Amino acid sequence: MSKAQAEEFKAAGNAALQSGKLTEAIENYTKAINADGTNHVYYSNRSAAYLKKGDANNALEDANSTIAIDPNFAKGYSRKGAALHALKRYNDAIAAFEEGIAKFPADASLKKGLEDVKRDRDGPPPGSSRHTGGMAGLFGDNLIQQIMLNPKTRPYLSDADFMAKIRRLQTNPNSLAEIISDPRIMEVLGLSLGMPGGDQSSDDEGPIFNTNNKQESTTAKPSGEARATQKEKSVPMEEEKTEEEDLSELTPEEKRKKEDQKEAAKVKERGNDLYKNKKFEEAISAYDEAINLDPTNMTFHNNKAAVYFSTKQYDKCILACREAVEVGKANRAPFEERAKALVRCAKAYQKQGDLGKAIECCQEAQLEFYDKATERMMKNWELEKKKADAAAYLDDDKAEEAKQRGNEAFRNKDWGEAVREYEEAVKRSPNNAPIRNNLAAALCKIMDFNGAKIHIEKAVEIDPKYVKAWARKGDIEVLTKENHKAVESYKRGLEIEPTNTACKDGLRKVTSLINYGNSTMTEEEKMERARHGMADPEIQAILQDPVIQQILRDFNENPQAANQALTDPVIRSKIEKLIASGVVQTA
């Protein structure tokens, strides 16, 4: 699909969104993304539709994709902040809005979003009487969203009995006593009250703690390529949360190690501040100091890589990312952190123009921790690489050499070898009409008429005045029993070169074949031929023309009017096609 079609899908999505048809809007935005996955606006619009529908997780994912594709698009940060706000990840939402405001200080939408999330964060907790009083507050409008976001309770939404009870509670909270015996209602009540219970895992990642205390805990953060892209432009690594520990029972060596780790975290913070102030060399020195104090933490290596990426020192960035991954594997760092380093490494390779290694790094990252944004980025790169490889393969001289080898094989009746050589020539010179004409001829010899048809149609598209291709096209259409098309192809060739022998002979033969077939075919053979013709979209379009329908009736009811209509060359051409296809039988 083309970018023009993608824009049409986007427009349809916008119209559906404005009309409140959220599912239809999402479907159209998805089609736009499938047609052009590099346009950040499509992800942004779909994020808005998801959020309006109450699907904050998908809204967040699309917001991250928006920022990943274009970090300088203000709405991307608004979408991300709004999705995180809906998920009640208030601190992350604030961080998203503040990151956007840092880039776009005059953006009113970002400022308003920041005010709203701060107000909700600092206001009464969910379930209080902030908007409604007593029990009614527990079963408010956000209850369904809470149920949907919890993996354990999400399946309950497909149970009609359960949903009826929920609607009853929302209408009449005092009916709780009558249905409290249902354990699912108890579970949802606990969820509404903010009590722990069930499987709380979701896209809302809490702090990550490493059981061997060799990696530092991290705050919640977005995943994959989007997170890496954001950090390239801001603080290179997440802030870390430290807690006071009782060191009294540790050996002197263990105490020293703990103290070094704490000191390393402080030095890293200093490095982050230097990075924010664009003092990149000093930031590198600070991270190196942190690495010397605590060589078991991959965070510091990853931060160095972020600095190198920002300063376009891609070789050093790649080396730092690889070191980060090795340290992470040796010290059992979270899989997501290792994937993050590999994604940054992939982006550095991409900046260097090495898409092959960039894709390999993405594949490694996906094995560590699967992320949809990384998958999309990798698919786009694979498409770019395929195009680049095809462009690099082009060589007219080598195409001509392959064509000559194909000609030799064709003369020797080595059809398989001829096809291979002509296909090689097409790869080397895809816009060479004579090569495609030769390939079509060879494919006919091995009975691959569909393949031959594809290449001969491409040949006449490349060079509409190439008479040999029109003659070959007519020959192929005769072989595929599309006589009406063959007639047209031969005529097209004769329009260009009226004395062309191949087109004249072909037209005479196919005309005789049509007339002879009408007189010698059995009724069953005629019906089969007509069915074959009816499968052609062009024949279907002709038959749907009201003028043609009237003329066909006139052949039986008013022959004089029908004959008069045939004086129009356009009408006559259409009727001849119907006759040639076998759809219309003549006496």
Side-chain angles (χ1 to χ4, degrees), residues 76-222:
Y77 300 95
S78 293
R79 301 290 190 220
K80 181 179 178 182
L84 290 165
H85 187 177
L87 291 169
K88 301 190 185 302
R89 292 168 55 177
Y90 298 123
N91 290 334
D92 290 339
I94 289 170
F97 283 122
E98 287 179 342
E99 185 175 357
I101 290 170
K103 290 187 174 186
F104 311 98
D107 192 283
S109 177
L110 288 166
K111 291 179 180 178
K112 178 68 166 58
L114 181 61
E115 290 175 8
D116 290 345
V117 73
K118 283 184 175 179
R119 183 181 63 246
D120 285 357
R121 182 193 64 176
D122 300 333
S128 72
S129 57
R130 177 177 176 177
H131 296 295
T132 56
M135 292 296 291
L138 296 176
F139 307 110
D141 294 336
N142 67 338
L143 179 60
I144 298 297
Q145 183 178 333
Q146 287 180 302
I147 297 171
M148 182 181 68
L149 294 177
N150 188 294
K152 185 173 181 181
T153 58
R154 189 180 302 131
Y156 300 166
L157 295 176
S158 59
D159 187 320
D161 179 58
F162 172 81
M163 290 304 297
K165 291 178 180 178
I166 290 297
R167 285 193 290 272
R168 182 179 175 188
L169 281 173
Q170 290 179 320
T171 306
N172 179 19
N174 294 325
S175 64
L176 177 62
E178 301 171 21
I179 57 177
I180 195 68
S181 58
D182 187 333
R184 297 173 300 177
I185 298 298
M186 282 292 293
E187 208 169 350
V188 169
L189 178 61
L191 187 66
S192 182
L193 289 169
M195 296 167 58
D199 182 359
Q200 299 297 325
S201 64
S202 71
D203 285 346
D204 186 1
E205 305 164 24
I208 302 171
F209 297 97
N210 191 286
T211 54
N212 65 0
N213 294 321
K214 290 184 178 181
Q215 296 295 324
E216 299 176 39
S217 61
T218 60
T219 58
K221 53 197 176 294

Side-chain angles (χ1 to χ4, degrees), residues 274-275 277-285 307 310-311:
L274 291 167
Y275 179 88
N277 294 319
K278 298 186 177 181
K279 297 179 179 180
F280 298 123
E281 292 299 326
E282 295 175 51
I284 290 291
S285 298
V307 178
S310 296
T311 55

Side-chain angles (χ1 to χ4, degrees), residues 437-454:
N437 181 56
N438 289 7
L439 175 55
L443 288 170
C444 285
K445 294 297 185 180
I446 61 173
M447 309 298 283
D448 183 1
F449 300 126
N450 287 331
K453 189 174 180 181
I454 290 170

